[in-house]
Amino acid sequence: MAHVRKTTHSRKTGARNTARRKASTTRKGSNRRAAPKRWSQRVTQESDALDLKRGVFKLKDPRKIAASLKRSAEHSSRRKTGAYRSALSMLTFYINRAGKTLPKTQRTRLERAKVELKRAFGKE
């Protein structure tokens, strides 16, 4: 006895479901607030870990980036962990969130800043 598979629906139901999903996501409730567009930007600005100096990740010298992060971490009264860990996690967070859009030269500079940060905190 051969097993015969029966189809009870047409292939077009997938297209209808997709259209229905798209329609439901575009509707906005009157009492719903829109989510912030760039949550990662909000994290770097309003993080409980550090109060960063503006443009710290745009600096050209990895030592200056590391020094700025160290200064911010040591002066922060809101961080939940050690200064080194807070500074390193903020730097790593920035690198990871930038992803593929981060230019290679900038990525190299920030990776060197990690090494400099380690050296600044005496963690070699």
Side-chain angles (χ1 to χ4, degrees):
M1 210 176 193
H3 185 329
V4 179
R5 191 173 190 189
K6 293 182 182 180
T7 56
T8 57
H9 66 285
S10 68
R11 282 211 173 266
K12 293 183 180 180
T13 57
R16 266 188 269 137
N17 287 339
T18 304
R20 192 177 306 133
R21 254 185 277 128
K22 284 182 181 176
S24 68
T25 58
T26 56
R27 275 188 245 131
K28 292 185 180 179
S30 59
N31 58 354
R32 288 177 108 190
R33 282 185 52 201
K37 200 168 191 177
R38 296 185 179 165
W39 67 268
S40 57
Q41 181 180 13
R42 193 184 79 239
V43 167
T44 56
Q45 290 172 347
E46 302 172 9
S47 170
D48 278 341
L50 303 175
D51 291 320
L52 296 175
K53 182 181 167 188
R54 189 177 197 98
V56 66
F57 298 115
K58 303 284 185 207
L59 295 172
K60 301 291 181 195
D61 186 15
R63 282 189 186 146
K64 287 183 180 180
I65 295 170
S68 179
L69 286 169
K70 182 180 181 193
R71 191 169 34 256
S72 295
E74 288 174 338
H75 292 298
S76 177
S77 59
R78 299 181 299 163
R79 64 183 156 80
K80 296 180 181 100
T81 186
Y84 170 70
R85 195 165 168 192
S86 290
L88 186 63
S89 67
M90 190 57 81
L91 181 55
T92 303
F93 174 79
Y94 183 82
I95 292 168
N96 290 344
R97 290 310 304 164
K100 292 179 183 177
T101 62
L102 192 64
K104 192 171 184 176
T105 55
Q106 178 89 6
R107 181 178 298 280
T108 305
R109 189 177 305 131
L110 293 173
E111 290 295 337
R112 281 195 201 131
K114 281 185 183 180
V115 175
E116 291 297 331
L117 193 62
K118 200 174 194 179
R119 196 172 287 154
F121 277 100
K123 302 271 186 182
E124 287 185 291

